[in-house]
Amino acid sequence: MSISAAQVKELRDLTGAGMMDCKAALAETNGDMEAAVDWLRAKGIAKADKKAGRVAAEGLIGVEAGLREAAVVEVNSETDFVARNDQFQDLVRNISKVALAFGKTEAVANAKYPGSDKTVTDAVKDAVATIGENLGFRRSDKLSVEQGAVATYIHNGVVDSLGKMGVLVAIETAGNADAARAFARQVAMHVAATNPLSLTPDEIDPAVVAREKDIYSDQARQSGKPEAIIEKMVEGRLRKFYEEVVLLKQAFVINPDVTVEQALKDAEKEIGAPAKITAFVRFALGEGIEKEASDFAAEVAAAVKQ
């Protein structure tokens, strides 16, 4: 049957697929628009599987906040260009909303995507068909408090609540929640800048502490000093290590004359009650993903030969 340009345009507007793919879908389904959409979806999922081998280390970090809770997610794409795509931004926003309800990665991946009977995982697969890149919901986390506040911070923001880095900081207090949230946001900015390993010294992986001790001991023994002095030297260097990597022991970025721990004590005057930082989460886009090195000149040369 004859397929009109208007039909092709309608299908393209519905799906975002390419013109030739839309024409082929309509030809295969005898012009049935609904069947053509399904045909393209099936084809898009097949393409998604082929794209899955390509590294997706770009994308967006998204945050979503409630009254005394907040969530952060990472959704990846192959190129930074996609982060400016409205459809991709909506995808990340919706997954952030799901994360506020379900929290951890596995639960979010298997939860229903807003306005759909599909899971978040399947919704991301469907988006591959229209956006045309390998996409992936990588991770999510959530913090909540019974009283107090959870603040969010987005660094290198692209649009509201979406950017290249997201931080959550939870403060428990019976005092003024707005004052607690304001201070927690300052701490979140600090966390974005310093990337602490843990909230307290006790939360650091014992293997990391043991490795640092071994290094400091070897360095101290080279001085030729007695073991008792070496032990004190190691303790001093370990304290310095904690000041560098433990959130509460770090010099506060907002006011380096005090530690985060002391800044919290000072903030209690404004909050109006004792306060405690209970947790933080920091997601930086693409961290830990091994990116493929690309030779742009070679890519151009290869394209010319095709």
Side-chain angles (χ1 to χ4, degrees):
M1 65 173 292
S2 176
I3 305 298
S4 69
Q7 287 175 294
V8 173
K9 183 180 183 303
E10 181 183 353
L11 183 58
R12 189 177 186 185
D13 289 343
L14 282 171
T15 65
M19 182 177 67
M20 296 308 295
D21 282 337
C22 290
K23 189 173 181 180
L26 288 163
E28 287 288 333
T29 58
N30 295 320
D32 184 320
M33 194 63 63
E34 187 174 344
V37 170
D38 291 342
W39 188 90
L40 282 170
R41 277 194 57 236
K43 183 179 180 183
I45 293 171
K47 284 184 175 179
D49 291 338
K50 292 177 183 178
K51 289 182 174 75
R54 304 207 304 242
V55 175
E58 298 294 341
L60 287 170
I61 303 293
V63 297
E64 183 75 16
L67 185 60
R68 287 184 293 275
E69 59 185 3
V72 59
V73 304
E74 179 177 0
V75 184
N76 297 122
S77 61
E78 291 179 58
T79 65
D80 181 61
F81 178 76
V82 167
R84 272 74 183 173
N85 178 296
D86 289 342
Q87 183 186 352
F88 182 72
Q89 291 176 3
D90 287 342
L91 179 73
V92 181
R93 286 192 191 94
N94 283 329
I95 294 175
S96 299
K97 289 180 173 65
V98 177
L100 189 62
F102 290 89
K104 296 293 184 180
T105 306
E106 185 176 354
V108 174
N110 293 319
K112 295 294 186 208
Y113 184 78
S116 167
D117 60 354
K118 295 182 178 298
T119 65
V120 165
T121 297
D122 287 339
V124 172
K125 269 192 173 184
D126 285 352
V128 174
T130 54
I131 292 175
E133 284 193 8
N134 183 26
L135 308 175
F137 163 54
R138 185 184 182 200
R139 54 180 173 163
S140 67
D141 209 341
K142 175 183 174 180
L143 296 180
S144 60
V145 292
E146 290 187 4
Q147 54 181 359
V150 180
T152 67
Y153 172 65
I154 283 286
H155 188 64
N156 287 336
V158 175
V159 291
D160 187 41
S161 300
L162 301 175
K164 301 300 184 183
M165 182 187 297
V167 181
L168 311 179
V169 173
I171 291 186
E172 283 191 351
T173 180
N176 185 289
D178 290 336
R181 184 175 292 103
F183 178 72
R185 180 172 169 78
Q186 290 186 331
V187 176
M189 295 169 70
H190 170 99
V191 169
T194 63
N195 192 18
L197 286 181
S198 69
L199 177 61
T200 67
D202 291 341
E203 293 176 9
I204 297 180
D205 184 345
V208 172
V209 176
R211 184 169 65 249
E212 293 297 319
K213 279 185 176 180
D214 288 343
I215 293 170
Y216 300 151
S217 297
D218 289 343
Q219 291 172 342
R221 286 194 178 89
Q222 292 175 21
S223 68
K225 290 183 170 56
E227 283 297 318
I229 300 297
I230 290 173
E231 187 175 338
K232 289 183 178 179
M233 290 173 66
V234 170
E235 289 175 0
R237 291 184 183 182
L238 198 57
R239 280 196 300 273
K240 182 66 175 175
F241 171 69
Y242 288 148
E243 290 170 5
E244 292 173 354
V245 303
V246 173
L247 175 57
L248 292 176
K249 303 299 182 184
Q250 289 178 327
F252 192 31
V253 167
I254 309 297
N255 178 12
D257 292 334
V258 299
T259 63
V260 173
E261 194 169 29
Q262 183 58 52
L264 175 62
K265 287 294 180 187
D266 295 342
E268 288 178 348
K269 298 170 188 174
E270 190 72 23
I271 294 170
K276 179 183 179 182
I277 299 173
T278 57
F280 70 90
V281 177
R282 181 184 187 272
F283 279 7
L285 184 66
E287 61 187 351
I289 298 176
E290 187 175 343
K291 300 182 183 181
E292 293 176 338
S294 62
D295 184 336
F296 184 67
E299 289 177 8
V300 172
V304 170
K305 292 177 181 177
Q306 290 180 354

